[in-house]
Amino acid sequence: MSWGTELWDQFDSLDKHTQWGIDFLERYAKFVKERIEIEQNYAKQLRNLVKKYCPKRSSKDEEPRFTSCIAFFNILNELNDYAGQREVVAEEMAHRVYGELMRYAHDLKTERKMHLQEGRKAQQYLDMCWKQMDNSKKKFERECREAEKAQQSYERLDNDTNATKADVEKAKQQLNLRTHMADENKNEYAAQLQNFNGEQHKHFYVVIPQIYKQLQEMDERRTVKLSECYRGFADSERKVIPIISKCLEGMILAAKSVDERRDSQMVVDSFKSGFEPPGDFPFEDYSQHIYRTISDGTISASKQESGKVDAKTTVGKAKGKLWLFGKKPKPQSPPLTPTSLFTSSTPNGSQFLTFSIEPVHYCMNEIKTGKPRIPSFRSLKRGWSVKMGPALEDFSHLPPEQRRKKLQQRIDELNRELQKESDQKDALNKMKDVYEKNPQMGDPGSLQPKLAETMNNIDRLRMEIHKNEAWLSEVEGKTGGRGDRRHSSDINHLVTQGRESPEGSYTDDGNQEVRGPPQQHGHHNEFDDEFEDDDPLPAIGHCKAIYPFDGHNEGTLAMKEGEVLYIIEEDKGDGWTRARRQNGEEGYVPTSYIDVTLEKNSKGS
């Protein structure tokens, strides 16, 4: 089986195959190099590990004396020797396998290039001979046609009675000339054809087989070299197996040398004092001169008091434990007030009660003071709607530290999602600009649904982030201060964070206000009359809606594209602007959805 006879017409295929062989050789060399790096790093990490846990014997008193410690340090020594053997493996592979492969790959490239150049030269020479033969053939064919034309012209004049003798003689001379040139071209074509056939036979039966044979031998040597490198790769590992086995045997012997009895005896020998245990103390009665009745009464009373204290302490501890895991104990003695009872809505529409342990008289004192902690009762409810959420959503069933970690993890995930959506929005805007400048590339209107969906996702993620940040602030405030701080401080802390997201915001619509239970309805209206009779905020500008906004969330304001609204509160950095319609309906709209125009004196007003 020879490439020269079997693959005489597959020069391009052999070119690709030999190149693939060299690429495979270099790929295996790269594999060996990475294996060497792994062995070196493994040995280095093992040595660092041994160095980290080896004892620093500064004095003889700190030397290990227990058999378990001595065995551990013997294992460390054996592990250090094991790391040395891994370095030996890396060095053997680098010298015997990797270095040899790189040198051989360089030689193969040079030899392959030389053989392929010879094959191309032979092919070019054969192509040149074929062109010469083809040119002579075409020339012979052309001269034959010219001779035929000359013969036809001569015969026509010869048969024509009106033709002169001179014309006939001239046509005869032309026929003889064309016939002579055709014979010369015939002889040249025959010579060129014979030459080409000889060169072609030599090319396909002598030159090409010899070149292909050299390429075949080169490829077979490459295969043999790979086999030797495979063997050397395995031998590098096999040579150190006996020493590694000794290291492992040393570890097993160190493990067997551990003697728990001996260690226990060493503890006894080190700390034994030699003294006998103390005897029993005698009973000393001091109640001989005290009346028994008085003593019994006092003792029983003290027992009852101690029993009461223990019961209260037990209840207090139980309540504190429930509060720690997110379940507040319901107070029994103080009546419910608007600051101690609120309802909070979950995303699915259900409501649940949240009780405060703050005393009523504290709430009344806070309300009567000239500088209340919260601006209005509306803000209080608004803060609570942000702070309190479903039990599982805000992780209130977890301890404070675990809850903080869970909330921080969720905020990080939401921030990553928000960044992705922002990048997608920027990409869509750039694509839209490109479509607007070059309409033949696409329709800008086709991107509008995707852009609106992205903006809705951004708004939703911002609301989720703000809500979770509010919960996180609550947890950090509780862990930073005292455990049972007042709810007014919680609410004030949330209000000072700035404007809440629309999911925790409020509206002026009365049926959306959070109400207490029916028995407390009178008190709730009293506080609403005192704190919610605020004048509407003045308009500081106007805006025009660029995109439509559905406003499904609580506190948001739905708007149509092109709708004009009044601006009553600027964006504070959270992505929301407070706006008002002409009919007085207020709410928050995304700042990125509107084109804002502020009055010149808006800052002063």
Side-chain angles (χ1 to χ4, degrees):
M1 182 183 64
S2 175
W3 288 5
T5 57
E6 302 292 336
L7 304 175
W8 59 270
D9 58 344
Q10 297 296 325
F11 181 83
D12 295 334
S13 299
L14 292 178
D15 184 7
K16 294 179 181 179
H17 174 73
T18 52
Q19 181 62 40
W20 171 86
I22 295 176
D23 293 339
F24 182 80
L25 186 70
E26 292 178 345
R27 184 182 180 186
Y28 179 71
K30 184 178 180 181
F31 162 77
V32 175
K33 181 181 178 182
E34 292 181 359
R35 170 66 189 277
I36 292 170
E37 293 175 355
I38 290 174
E39 292 289 346
Q40 292 174 348
N41 293 332
Y42 180 49
K44 182 179 179 181
Q45 291 177 2
L46 285 178
R47 290 192 181 277
N48 292 335
L49 183 66
V50 171
K51 183 179 179 181
K52 179 180 179 181
Y53 286 94
C54 274
K56 298 179 181 179
R57 300 181 180 179
S58 58
S59 61
K60 294 183 178 180
D61 297 334
E62 298 180 359
E63 292 182 359
R65 297 173 297 170
F66 300 100
T67 57
S68 58
C69 296
I70 296 174
F72 175 67
F73 297 135
N74 291 335
I75 290 174
L76 290 178
N77 292 331
E78 296 294 339
L79 188 61
N80 191 45
D81 297 338
Y82 178 81
Q85 295 306 310
R86 304 318 305 179
E87 292 176 348
V88 172
V89 172
E91 292 174 359
E92 185 71 11
M93 288 182 180
H95 175 71
R96 185 177 175 181
V97 181
Y98 179 72
E100 189 69 18
L101 282 174
M102 296 305 295
R103 288 191 296 269
Y104 193 75
H106 182 268
D107 296 338
L108 277 181
K109 289 180 180 179
T110 304
E111 184 179 358
R112 174 181 174 276
K113 183 178 180 181
M114 180 184 66
H115 294 326
L116 292 179
Q117 286 180 352
E118 291 177 356
R120 291 189 181 93
K121 287 181 180 179
Q123 186 66 36
Q124 289 175 1
Y125 180 73
L126 182 64
D127 293 339
M128 183 185 68
C129 294
W130 180 84
K131 287 181 180 179
Q132 291 177 357
M133 184 269 296
D134 187 68
N135 290 333
S136 62
K137 177 182 176 181
K138 291 179 179 179
K139 189 175 181 181
F140 170 64
E141 182 181 3
R142 186 173 60 252
E143 291 298 331
C144 287
R145 286 196 299 268
E146 292 294 334
E148 290 177 0
K149 290 180 181 180
Q151 184 177 2
Q152 292 175 1
S153 177
Y154 170 71
E155 290 176 355
R156 187 178 65 256
L157 291 174
D158 187 43
N159 295 328
D160 190 7
T161 57
N162 296 324
T164 62
K165 186 177 180 180
D167 294 334
V168 174
E169 189 68 21
K170 184 178 179 181
K172 184 177 181 180
Q173 292 179 358
Q174 186 69 19
L175 174 62
N176 293 332
L177 179 62
R178 290 297 180 184
T179 304
H180 178 71
M181 293 180 64
D183 293 336
E184 290 181 352
N185 287 313
K186 179 180 179 181
N187 295 332
E188 184 180 359
Y189 168 65
Q192 291 294 338
L193 180 62
Q194 184 178 3
N195 180 47
F196 173 74
N197 290 331
E199 293 296 332
Q200 180 175 269
H201 184 273
K202 180 181 177 181
H203 177 81
F204 289 110
Y205 289 93
V206 179
V207 179
I208 289 300
Q210 183 66 25
I211 295 174
Y212 286 6
K213 181 180 179 181
Q214 294 174 353
L215 288 174
Q216 182 179 359
E217 292 175 354
M218 180 193 72
D219 191 73
E220 291 174 354
R221 290 198 308 270
R222 176 191 62 82
T223 307
V224 173
K225 192 66 176 180
L226 280 174
S227 177
E228 293 176 357
C229 292
Y230 294 160
R231 191 180 300 109
F233 185 86
D235 290 338
S236 301
E237 186 82 21
R238 188 173 58 181
K239 285 182 180 179
V240 299
I241 287 179
I243 304 176
I244 291 177
S245 299
K246 291 181 179 179
C247 295
L248 297 177
E249 290 175 0
M251 295 181 184
I252 294 174
L253 292 176
K256 291 181 179 179
S257 65
V258 177
D259 189 357
E260 66 277 8
R261 297 292 182 182
R262 183 179 175 185
D263 289 349
S264 299
Q265 187 61 37
M266 290 179 66
V267 174
V268 172
D269 295 340
S270 299
F271 303 107
K272 183 177 179 181
S273 63
F275 296 105
E276 292 293 333
D280 296 334
F281 282 90
F283 177 77
E284 298 179 5
D285 190 6
Y286 296 97
S287 63
Q288 296 178 0
H289 305 288
I290 303 175
Y291 292 103
R292 184 173 299 277
T293 56
I294 300 176
S295 176
D296 293 340
T298 306
I299 293 173
S300 62
S302 62
K303 288 182 178 179
Q304 293 177 1
E305 292 177 359
S306 62
K308 293 180 179 180
V309 173
D310 293 340
K312 291 182 178 179
T313 306
T314 305
V315 173
K317 290 182 179 179
K319 289 183 178 180
K321 186 173 182 180
L322 291 174
W323 169 250
L324 177 63
F325 289 94
K327 297 180 180 179
K328 300 180 182 180
K330 296 182 180 180
Q332 301 296 334
S333 56
L336 298 176
T337 60
T339 55
S340 62
L341 177 61
F342 297 98
T343 58
S344 180
S345 300
T346 59
N348 58 8
S350 61
Q351 295 184 351
F352 61 93
L353 295 178
T354 302
F355 293 94
S356 171
I357 60 172
E358 187 178 26
V360 178
H361 64 86
Y362 179 79
C363 295
M364 297 301 295
N365 292 334
E366 289 293 325
I367 294 172
K368 293 179 180 179
T369 54
K371 296 180 179 179
R373 298 191 177 208
I374 53 178
S376 66
F377 195 73
R378 178 192 306 166
S379 301
L380 182 143
K381 292 183 295 183
R382 179 178 163 193
W384 272 98
S385 64
V386 174
K387 183 180 72 173
M388 300 305 295
L392 296 179
E393 185 180 2
D394 62 351
F395 303 108
S396 59
H397 61 288
L398 297 177
E401 184 62 23
Q402 296 183 16
R403 184 185 179 194
R404 185 188 66 80
K405 292 180 180 179
K406 289 287 186 180
L407 289 173
Q408 186 63 47
Q409 183 180 0
R410 181 190 288 174
I411 289 173
D412 295 339
E413 293 176 357
L414 291 174
N415 283 325
R416 287 192 293 269
E417 294 180 6
L418 179 61
Q419 183 63 34
K420 291 181 182 179
E421 294 293 338
S422 299
D423 296 340
Q424 184 177 1
K425 183 192 73 173
D426 297 339
L428 290 174
N429 287 328
K430 291 181 181 179
M431 189 179 299
K432 184 178 179 181
D433 295 339
V434 172
Y435 286 174
E436 290 176 352
K437 294 179 182 178
N438 300 312
Q440 66 275 10
M441 297 182 66
D443 183 16
S446 62
L447 301 177
Q448 189 64 29
K450 186 65 177 176
L451 189 60
E453 180 183 358
T454 304
M455 296 299 298
N456 290 331
N457 292 336
I458 291 175
D459 298 337
R460 176 182 57 81
L461 291 172
R462 283 176 177 172
M463 290 188 290
E464 289 292 333
I465 290 172
H466 198 82
K467 179 172 62 175
N468 284 274
E469 285 178 350
W471 288 332
L472 181 61
S473 300
E474 176 190 0
V475 176
E476 291 178 348
K478 287 184 177 180
T479 55
R482 61 183 184 271
D484 54 349
R485 67 178 185 178
R486 297 182 177 90
H487 286 282
S488 59
S489 300
D490 282 347
I491 300 166
N492 190 34
H493 174 71
L494 287 175
V495 173
T496 55
Q497 295 294 327
R499 186 172 65 254
E500 286 79 14
S501 62
E503 188 164 339
S505 61
Y506 68 96
T507 61
D508 287 340
D509 192 359
N511 56 10
Q512 294 184 6
E513 293 291 344
V514 181
R515 299 290 182 182
Q519 61 270 21
Q520 298 295 332
H521 187 70
H523 296 281
H524 186 75
N525 291 334
E526 180 181 351
F527 286 106
D528 286 344
D529 294 338
E530 185 175 353
F531 291 96
E532 292 190 358
D533 292 339
D534 298 332
D535 295 333
L537 296 176
I540 59 174
H542 64 277
C543 65
K544 183 178 181 181
I546 304 176
Y547 307 106
F549 181 63
D550 51 12
H552 290 327
N553 296 321
E554 182 182 1
T556 59
L557 183 63
M559 60 182 181
K560 300 180 181 179
E561 183 178 358
E563 184 177 0
V564 179
L565 305 173
Y566 293 110
I567 301 297
I568 58 176
E569 188 175 346
E570 292 186 69
D571 186 359
K572 302 299 183 181
D574 55 1
W576 296 91
T577 301
R578 189 175 177 185
R580 181 197 299 149
R581 283 198 178 95
Q582 293 183 359
N583 59 3
E585 184 180 0
E586 297 181 2
Y588 289 94
V589 295
T591 307
S592 57
Y593 279 42
I594 58 175
D595 185 11
V596 179
T597 303
L598 298 177
E599 301 295 337
K600 295 182 180 180
N601 59 350
S602 61
K603 297 297 181 179
S605 62

